[in-house]
């Protein structure tokens, strides 16, 4: 730590500023510019691992000194009252300082091979001379913490990009953690800063502004967080937790989550055999204790009357801070913005990590409990009926006694060891148990006036048990002028589903605009312990080698994965097997990266993957039926740009896979022919002007049916897909009021067809969100932040549809929070 010989940190940093400034001036006068440049460039390019959360800038700069092993001098007046941007991952000192000072208006200069000066912009006529009240003290040299090698994964996060909303890269399966300019795929990593400023309580909240995907259900309503990526539905079994798949809770709470990584396109080659990862995958990065102690409390309010709070505590222990603990807790309950609806949520997380020169260890455990009264399940549309306009979003046509209750327990353990220089071995293990019960009335709209009948009703019970394992080796080495980044990895995922539906026999004629409510039926005699209905084992071995030439200007990445998918389904009545699959295939992949200039990268990829066939969803007549595995193919080309202050990705892709949907006429889940998804995605992010952060883009998708039975629907748009979607978010740290931030976001979704014949459709919709935040420092120098967000600012009413059934949209919802560091 910096020693305050004059009795205050302000004096220390001011004194160090003068000492280093004068020393640098004298040295500059005595040595030529050419002699000084070499050591300064060497220092600026020296890499270290940084883990610095957003905090008062003076404290963040002290953490930078500790973690970089550098002497740092700071103008105390210039940093007073400022908050740093977060910095995490392995990077150069120059990159770390640039990110740390993003939006602060401060400058820095490497004054020697081991020292840097941070100051504000010089005042006119000041000639860089400090005021007479500045005190002088020699800076203190501190020791850097152990760094993770390039092939390592634990503690090797990519730094945040300009603006701090997204990171420069993320985990790319077999390839490990990579910068987005070295990745021949489309990926976006949302940071904790973005999650906090959006007041994102769940994964649905985090992804609301992503222009390349759409959440399939409203926040908090049904079992999972399904999303539509590239015209394909992706569900929670295809979400990763620290790189382990199949162990993510049915609905993700952001407590204990540092980052959210969105990967677009098939990922079985990269991440192993998964139930259905054709459209993409989502990986959750758990929080870790930082070198600076964390004690942060937040008071929460959601309209109409949900109250609660959260606590985030992190500490490191040991002479070199080698042990870390990070604990999080969130609880809130009360009435939601939807009439008659209540929601209660409790989330608990605990993370542990150990780091040494050659060995790293991580462990996590989490618990999530949810209870939603009058939860909003899917609505169906009768054959030949045109979809009526969506009702007032606050008005619920669901029965007050419909309910969703559940809990998830999940955890993981990861070990990583550097065997020799350039070679790292690792092993991971994780597990999950989820228990959910719901009482549902699936409404069926029978005419354009909004009249409904009961399509199906029941009490649905579900238990899921998953075990996920992964082990492998990653290596960096050279053969002559060629650099290799190679990996050999095996994975195993076993999942057992226990489900049962107790049917409710009830007739109800109602209306979505003027609903009829009935008394809760009796559940006497209902089965309480669901039987085993499916058992699956997904195993694979993958190998990859990324070859880099000419200073990483050219990269060729090739590999293959041997996948085996085994499934068995069982009768709920007899417990005997009814059907199953056992299929093995080798899935190849090839991709390239070409960087003609530093700021631009061209890429392309081909991936072939074996994917498990879809499972008929709850509420259909063949619910639980597992369809046969199928092979998918993706071709993708794209271009990426990095101008330091703004980055972008433009990609074009084609994915071919079987078409699956619910036939409303028979209430049966079916596969019929193929779908060919061709699209263009554009994503832009960064800080185009000081304090102004940008995040937006669009997806143009041509998802059509081909090779359908009898050619009846050939050329028709795939059910649940939209030809165009876009979003644009702006976040501005205003220069007029210190600490004040303003946010705005627009989200557009085009028309969606609800049946294969394209005769029934949900119309396009647009939603606007807004937010304010105000940050100030208490007398002890620690920040307090007040945030106010509005979801659906103009209270629009629309249908959410990513399949043949659909949901009411969330009404205008106010989110308030007060966050303080202690």
């Amino acid at each position: 730590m910096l020693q305050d010989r004059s009795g205050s940190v302000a004096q220390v940093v001011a004194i160090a500023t003068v000492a280093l400034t004068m020393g640098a001036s004298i040295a500059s006068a005595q040595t030529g510019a050419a002699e000084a440049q070499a050591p300064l460039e060497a220092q600026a390019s020296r890499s270290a691992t940084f883990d610095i959360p957003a905090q008062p800038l003076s404290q963040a700069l002290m953490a930078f000194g500790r973690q970089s092993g550098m002497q740092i001098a700071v103008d105390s007046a210039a940093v007073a009252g400022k908050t740093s941007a977060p910095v995490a991952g392995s990077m150069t000192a120059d990159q770390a300082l640039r990110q740390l000072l993003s939006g602060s208006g401060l400058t820095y200069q490497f004054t020697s091979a081991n020292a840097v000066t941070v100051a504000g912009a010089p005042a006119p006529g000041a000639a860089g001379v400090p005021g007479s009240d500045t005190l002088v003290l020699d800076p203190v040299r501190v020791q850097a913490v152990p760094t993770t090698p390039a092939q390592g994964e634990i503690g090797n996060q990519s730094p945040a990009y300009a603006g701090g909303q997204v990171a420069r890269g993320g985990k790319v399966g077999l390839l490990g953690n990579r910068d987005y300019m070295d990745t021949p795929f489309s990926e976006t990593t949302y940071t904790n800063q973005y999650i906090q400023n959006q007041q994102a309580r769940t994964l649905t909240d985090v992804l609301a502004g992503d222009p390349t995907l759409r959440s399939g259900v409203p926040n908090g309503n049904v079992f999972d967080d399904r999303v539509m990526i590239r015209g394909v539905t992706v569900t929670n079994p295809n979400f990763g937790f620290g790189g382990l798949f199949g162990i993510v809770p049915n609905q993700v709470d952001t407590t204990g989550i540092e980052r959210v990584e969105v990967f677009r396109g098939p990922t079985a080659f990269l991440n192993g055999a998964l139930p259905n990862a054709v459209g993409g995958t989502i990986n959750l990065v758990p929080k870790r204790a930082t070198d600076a102690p964390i004690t942060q409390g937040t008071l929460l309010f959601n309209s109409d009357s949900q109250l609660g709070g959260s606590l985030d505590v992190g500490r490191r222990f040991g002479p070199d801070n080698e042990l870390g603990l990070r604990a999080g807790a969130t609880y809130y309950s009360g009435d939601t913005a939807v009439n008659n609806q209540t929601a209660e949520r409790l989330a608990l997380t605990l993370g542990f990590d150990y780091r040494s020169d050659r060995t790293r260890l991580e462990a996590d455990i989490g618990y999530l409990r949810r209870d939603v009264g009058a939860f909003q399940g899917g609505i169906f549309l009768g054959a030949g009926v045109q979809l009526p306009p969506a009702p007032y979003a606050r008005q619920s046509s669901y029965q007050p006694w419909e309910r969703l209750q559940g809990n998830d327990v999940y955890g993981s353990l990861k070990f990583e060891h550097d065997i020799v220089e350039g070679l790292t071995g690792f092993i991971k293990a994780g597990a999950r148990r989820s228990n959910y019960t719901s009482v549902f009335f699936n409404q069926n709209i029978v005419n354009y006036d909004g009249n409904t009948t009961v399509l199906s009703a029941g009490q649905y019970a579900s238990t899921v048990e998953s075990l996920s394992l992964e082990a492998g080796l990653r290596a960096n080495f050279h053969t002559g002028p060629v650099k290799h980044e190679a990996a050999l990895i095996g994975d195993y995922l076993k999942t057992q589903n226990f489900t049962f539906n107790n049917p409710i026999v009830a007739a109800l004629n109602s209306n979505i605009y003027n609903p009829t409510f009935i008394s809760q039926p009796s559940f006497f005699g209902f089965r309480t312990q669901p039987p085993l209905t499916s058992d699956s084992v997904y195993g694979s071995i993958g190998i990859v080698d990324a070859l880099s030439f000419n200073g990483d200007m050219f990269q060729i990445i090739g590999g293959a994965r041997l996948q085996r998918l085994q499934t068995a389904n069982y009768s709920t009545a007899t417990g005997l097997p009814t059907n199953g699959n056992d299929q093995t295939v080798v899935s190849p992949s090839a991709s390239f990266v070409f960087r003609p200039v530093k700021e631009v990268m061209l890429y392309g990829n081909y991936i072939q993957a074996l994917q498990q066939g879809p499972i008929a969803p709850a509420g259909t007549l063949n619910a639980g039926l597992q369809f046969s595995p199928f092979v998918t193919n993706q071709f993708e080309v794209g271009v990426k740009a990095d101008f330091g202050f703004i980055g972008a990705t433009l990609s074009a892709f084609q994915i071919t896979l079987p078409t699956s949907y619910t036939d409303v006429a028979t209430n049966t889940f079916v596969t019929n022919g193929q779908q060919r998804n061709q699209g263009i995605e554009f994503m832009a992010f960064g800080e185009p002007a000081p304090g102004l952060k940008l995040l937006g883009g669009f997806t143009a998708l041509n998802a059509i049916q081909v090779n359908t039975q009898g050619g009846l629907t050939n050329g028709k748009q795939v059910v649940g897909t939209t030809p165009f979607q876009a979003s644009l978010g702006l976040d501005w740290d205003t220069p007029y009021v210190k600490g004040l931030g303003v946010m705005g976001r627009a989200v557009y979704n085009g028309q969606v067809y609800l049946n294969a014949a394209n005769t029934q459709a949900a119309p396009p919709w647009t939603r606007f969100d807004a937010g304010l935040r105000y940050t100030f420092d208490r007398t002890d120098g620690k920040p307090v932040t007040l945030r106010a967000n509005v979801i659906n600012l103009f209270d629009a009413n629309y249908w959410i549809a990513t399949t043949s059934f659909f949901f009411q949209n969330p009404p205008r919802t106010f989110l308030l929070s007060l966050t303080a560091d202690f």
Side-chain angles (χ1 to χ4, degrees), residues 172-176 269-270 473-475 485-489 542-547 556-560 589 591:
V172 192
L174 278 170
L175 298 171
F269 161 70
L270 295 169
L473 298 168
R474 285 198 179 94
E485 298 172 82
L488 174 64
I489 296 176
I543 186 170
V544 67
D545 190 9
L547 296 83
I556 298 176
I557 302 172
S589 178
S591 55

Side-chain angles (χ1 to χ4, degrees), residues 615-673:
I615 300 176
T620 57
L621 293 180
N622 58 342
L625 176 63
Q626 183 90 62
F627 288 81
S628 298
F630 55 84
V631 174
T632 65
N633 296 275
Q634 174 183 271
F635 297 90
E636 179 180 358
V637 294
V639 57
K640 299 183 182 183
D642 176 15
F643 299 105
F645 62 94
I646 192 166
T649 299
L650 176 66
S651 59
F653 61 87
Q654 175 176 297
I655 303 175
T656 305
L657 70 160
T659 301
S660 302
Y661 60 91
T662 300
D663 187 336
V664 178
T666 61
N667 190 29
T668 303
F669 191 75
V670 299
T671 59
N672 181 13

Side-chain angles (χ1 to χ4, degrees), residues 11 81 115 167 192 243 312 354 371 377 459 644 698 718 737 798:
Q11 290 174 327
N192 185 59
D312 185 9
Y354 168 80
D371 189 345
Q459 183 192 59
F698 67 85
V718 174
V737 179
Y798 54 89

Side-chain angles (χ1 to χ4, degrees), residues 238-257:
N238 306 286
F239 297 173
F241 180 76
L244 275 174
F245 288 82
I247 63 171
V248 173
N250 275 17
Q251 187 186 67
V252 175
D253 187 278
T254 57
T255 303
I257 300 302

Side-chain angles (χ1 to χ4, degrees), residues 359-514:
T359 301
R360 295 165 294 280
L361 180 69
E362 291 185 336
D364 292 275
I365 188 168
Y367 171 78
L368 175 64
R369 178 170 60 83
R370 292 195 290 149
D371 189 345
V372 182
F375 90 99
Q376 298 174 293
I379 299 178
F380 293 79
L381 185 63
V385 177
Q386 294 303 304
L387 182 65
Y392 179 40
R394 188 174 296 275
Q395 174 69 50
S396 175
S397 61
Y398 299 85
Q399 299 297 314
W401 41 265
E402 292 185 62
R403 197 169 199 88
L404 173 67
Q405 295 174 296
N407 61 77
D408 302 85
V409 179
Y410 59 99
S412 65
L413 177 64
K414 290 172 276 187
F415 171 81
E416 186 175 80
H417 180 70
D418 303 328
I419 301 170
V420 295
E421 183 177 357
L423 179 63
T424 297
F426 66 90
I427 185 169
K428 306 177 185 177
R432 167 178 70 114
R433 180 181 173 89
S434 300
N435 297 287
Y436 277 80
T437 301
S438 67
V439 179
F440 65 92
F441 254 44
N442 283 334
Q443 304 176 67
N444 189 42
I445 298 176
V446 296
N447 57 39
Y448 190 73
D449 294 329
N451 292 329
T452 64
T453 59
V454 178
L455 180 66
S456 59
Q459 183 192 59
Y460 182 76
S462 169
T463 296
V464 178
E465 296 180 350
S466 297
L467 173 65
S468 184
L469 304 172
E470 186 178 81
L473 298 168
R474 285 198 179 94
N476 284 354
F477 59 94
H478 287 77
T479 55
V482 180
K483 182 178 74 174
H484 298 261
E485 298 172 82
L488 174 64
I489 296 176
D491 63 83
Y492 172 92
L493 173 61
K494 178 178 176 62
T495 304
Q496 291 185 306
N497 291 282
F498 303 79
T499 61
F500 191 78
N501 182 51
N502 293 288
I504 296 174
V505 180
L508 174 64
N509 295 319
S510 187
N511 186 278
I512 59 174
Y513 307 112
N514 185 26

